[in-house]
């Protein structure tokens, strides 16, 4: 129609065709040929490399994890994008919110992986996820401040089911000393007070539980309360008769405690709850949670992408249809479910298909976030391709994985192309 000769058109397209052939067609063809060769590359292996895809434990784990990625990551990211897009339409600061949600897209996968490796750190003092989780847990179930405390030399206490109990019974009017060691002075609770020797009281049992340790060689009296020693404030003390608790109390800040007369003839026990180790949070990067944790980091990055595309589609939805539904008596949930979502179906399909193609090739986040101890459990096909090709020197199997990945992507791409053509015809 423009009078341009076919030869001239081919000349203009030639540089692009050369680059396309060199960067796309040739690598695909070479990988296909290499996937049928042996590991040395000097012989024909037939379908042995492809058989390994379904017999090798590492590859099967990677395939299973890829299925989890394809099912959950695009679905969750798209659902969050839809919620954000719909809700931010009605708030004045919606644009600012969209900017914040979309901002992670500006971060590379490598940087995001490093960020979330720190977020998921097991130590609550370093990892944000465990800091929040431990804070919530400790609000409802506090941990002991003395997890390492234990009886010292010549102590009247002996071990008892994770706690400690006196070797002999006690009597009213008696003063009992329950010395412990094992807690470093700088790890004692901030509110700890100097220990005080309890005074006897008629008809009651009194005592002191404290840190029986004084800094310096030869300083302090073993089994006695010294001026610089601190009391175990909050330590629970139980009076036990015939295996049953007849009385209990908590030590004051200076370590002193008082039990009523019914504790007469009982043994005093410091139960195991006093020595429970502090809750250390969830092992986010352990074998059982590493894949969901990494999917969470992916959703953090790509929910903004889904939100922007869906918001663009939402801007094109005819408002009169929404108003007509409201006039007919539909509530907001019904308008959203029966009108908004069906009208956004083409956009949602684009987002889901794009993210499905993206997660099939996921590599960076898994490689960076998963520690060496659980990387096998978080393995995906792209990472296994890298490991087979470069770490284990098995290029034949690596090529077979790359061809297999291509075969997985092609149906999704064809679906997307056909859907786009239908949209153009409309």
């Amino acid at each position: 129609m423009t009078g341009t000769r076919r030869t001239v058109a081919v000349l203009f397209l030639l540089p692009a065709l050369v680059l396309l052939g060199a960067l796309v067609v040739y690598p695909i063809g070479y990988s296909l040929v290499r996937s049928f060769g042996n590991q040395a590359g000097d012989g024909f292996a037939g379908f042995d490399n492809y058989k390994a895809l379904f017999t090798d434990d590492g590859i099967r784990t990677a395939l299973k994890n890829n299925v989890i990625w394809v099912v959950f990551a695009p679905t969750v990211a798209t659902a969050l994008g839809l919620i954000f897009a719909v809700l931010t339409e009605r708030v004045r600061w919606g644009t600012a919110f969209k900017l914040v949600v979309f901002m992670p897209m500006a971060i590379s996968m490598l940087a995001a992986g490093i960020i979330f490796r720190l977020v998921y750190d097991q130590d609550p003092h370093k990892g944000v996820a465990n800091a929040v989780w431990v804070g919530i847990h400790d609000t409802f179930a506090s941990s002991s401040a003395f997890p390492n405390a234990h009886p010292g030399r010549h102590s009247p206490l002996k071990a008892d089911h994770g706690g400690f109990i006196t070797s002999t019974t006690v009597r009213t009017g008696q003063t009992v000393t329950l010395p412990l060691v094992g807690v470093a002075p700088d790890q004692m609770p901030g509110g700890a007070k100097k220990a005080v020797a309890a005074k006897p009281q008629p008809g009651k049992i009194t005592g002191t539980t404290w840190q029986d340790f004084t800094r310096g060689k030869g300083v302090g009296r073993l089994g006695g309360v010294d001026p610089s020693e601190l009391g175990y404030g909050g330590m629970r003390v139980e009076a036990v008769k015939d295996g049953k608790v007849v009385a209990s109390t908590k030590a004051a800040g200076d370590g002193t405690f008082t039990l009523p007369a019914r504790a007469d003839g009982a043994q005093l026990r410091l139960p195991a709850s006093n020595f429970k180790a502090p809750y250390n949070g969830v092992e986010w990067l352990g074998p059982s949670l590493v894949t969901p944790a990494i999917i969470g980091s992916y959703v953090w990055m790509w929910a903004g992408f889904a939100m922007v595309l869906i918001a663009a589609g939402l801007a094109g939805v005819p408002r009169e249809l929404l108003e007509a539904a409201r006039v007919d008596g539909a509530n907001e949930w019904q308008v959203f479910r029966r009108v908004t979502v069906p009208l956004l179906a083409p956009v949602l399909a684009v987002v889901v298909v794009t993210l499905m193609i993206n997660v099939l090739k996921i590599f960076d986040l898994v490689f960076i976030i998963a520690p060496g101890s659980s990387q096998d459990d978080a393995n995906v096909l792209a990472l296994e391709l890298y490991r087979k090709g470069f770490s284990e020197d098995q290029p034949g199997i690596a090529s077979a994985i790359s061809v297999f990945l291509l075969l997985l992507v092609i149906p999704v791409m064809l679906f997307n192309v056909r859907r786009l053509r239908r949209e153009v015809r409309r």
Side-chain angles (χ1 to χ4, degrees):
M1 293 175 64
T2 59
T4 305
R5 294 181 180 178
R6 184 173 298 179
T7 305
V8 176
V10 170
L11 289 175
F12 275 104
L13 291 174
L14 187 60
L17 293 174
V18 170
L19 286 174
L20 188 66
L23 300 179
V24 178
V25 177
Y26 173 74
I28 292 175
Y30 181 80
S31 297
L32 182 61
V33 173
R34 189 67 182 84
S35 67
F36 289 101
N38 59 20
Q39 304 311 320
D42 55 2
F44 182 70
F47 288 93
D48 290 347
N49 294 326
Y50 289 95
K51 290 179 182 177
L53 299 182
F54 304 99
T55 56
D56 185 278
D57 290 337
I59 300 176
R60 284 194 297 182
T61 300
L63 185 58
K64 179 195 72 175
N65 287 336
N66 263 98
V67 172
I68 295 173
W69 271 90
V70 168
V71 171
F72 290 101
T75 305
V76 175
T78 304
L80 283 177
L82 176 62
I83 293 170
F84 292 154
V86 172
L87 294 182
T88 52
E89 255 206 332
R90 303 191 172 205
V91 295
R92 187 179 304 172
W93 39 269
T95 303
F97 180 82
K98 288 177 183 177
L99 178 64
V100 172
V101 175
F102 187 75
M103 197 174 294
M105 284 294 298
I107 303 174
S108 69
M109 285 282 197
L110 176 64
I114 294 172
I115 291 170
F116 274 87
R117 181 67 181 268
L118 297 174
V119 167
Y120 291 133
D121 195 290
Q122 182 67 39
D123 187 350
H125 297 94
K126 298 178 182 178
V128 175
N130 265 341
V132 174
W133 193 262
V134 169
I136 295 172
H137 173 274
D138 289 350
T139 301
F140 300 97
S142 59
S143 301
S144 169
F146 317 109
N148 298 317
H150 59 273
R153 291 176 296 152
H154 311 300
S155 173
L157 295 167
K158 61 181 181 180
D160 178 70
H161 300 95
F164 305 100
I165 193 169
T166 57
S167 303
T168 58
T169 57
V170 295
R171 296 292 177 184
T172 54
Q174 181 181 350
T175 299
V176 184
T177 56
L178 303 177
L180 295 168
V181 295
V183 181
D186 58 352
Q187 293 180 355
M188 290 289 288
K193 299 178 182 178
K194 290 186 177 180
V196 176
K199 297 179 180 179
Q201 296 183 27
K204 296 182 179 179
I205 298 170
T206 58
T208 305
T209 176
W210 81 103
Q211 174 77 354
D212 188 22
F213 176 78
T214 304
R215 288 179 179 272
K217 186 177 181 181
V219 179
R221 183 166 49 92
L222 187 65
V225 179
D226 297 318
S228 62
E229 295 173 345
L230 299 175
Y232 281 133
M235 181 76 74
R236 186 172 184 80
V237 183
E238 297 176 343
V240 180
K241 285 184 180 179
D242 301 324
K244 297 181 179 179
V245 178
V246 295
S248 65
T249 187
K250 282 189 176 182
D254 57 8
T256 59
F257 60 88
T258 304
L259 289 166
R262 62 177 176 273
D264 184 55
Q267 292 176 281
L268 299 191
R269 180 173 67 187
L270 302 178
S273 59
N274 290 315
F275 312 102
K276 183 174 61 177
Y279 181 65
N280 204 36
V282 177
E283 194 178 1
W284 299 103
L285 300 181
S288 58
L289 288 179
V290 63
T291 295
I294 299 173
I295 289 176
S297 66
Y298 178 88
V299 170
W300 175 78
M301 288 192 69
W302 287 87
F305 167 81
M307 178 196 65
V308 169
L309 289 188
I310 295 170
L314 195 60
V317 172
R319 300 297 158 177
E320 57 269 19
L321 294 178
L322 303 180
E323 294 302 326
R326 294 187 181 101
V327 170
D328 287 342
N331 57 37
E332 291 301 321
W333 169 246
Q334 289 172 327
V335 172
F336 172 75
R337 187 165 59 93
R338 296 182 180 275
V339 181
T340 305
V341 172
L343 290 174
L344 288 175
V347 179
L348 296 176
V350 170
V351 174
V352 170
V353 170
T354 303
L355 293 181
M356 286 176 65
I357 295 172
N358 187 268
V359 298
L360 282 172
K361 303 179 294 181
I362 196 70
F363 166 80
D364 320 59
L365 289 178
V366 180
F367 184 71
I368 298 297
I369 296 177
S373 58
S374 58
Q375 196 172 87
D376 288 342
D377 300 283
N379 201 9
V380 290
L381 287 175
L383 177 59
E384 185 65 14
L385 187 157
Y386 168 81
R387 293 168 70 174
K388 293 294 185 188
F390 297 96
S391 300
E392 301 177 20
D393 194 24
Q394 299 184 48
I397 295 179
S399 299
I401 295 174
S402 67
V403 173
F404 184 64
L405 271 174
L406 178 64
L407 294 176
L408 291 178
V409 171
I410 286 176
V412 182
M413 293 177 62
L414 290 176
F415 170 80
N416 210 21
V417 169
R418 291 179 63 184
R419 191 201 56 77
L420 288 173
R421 285 178 178 174
R422 285 197 302 266
E423 290 296 320
V424 170
R425 292 193 192 104
R426 290 178 186 175

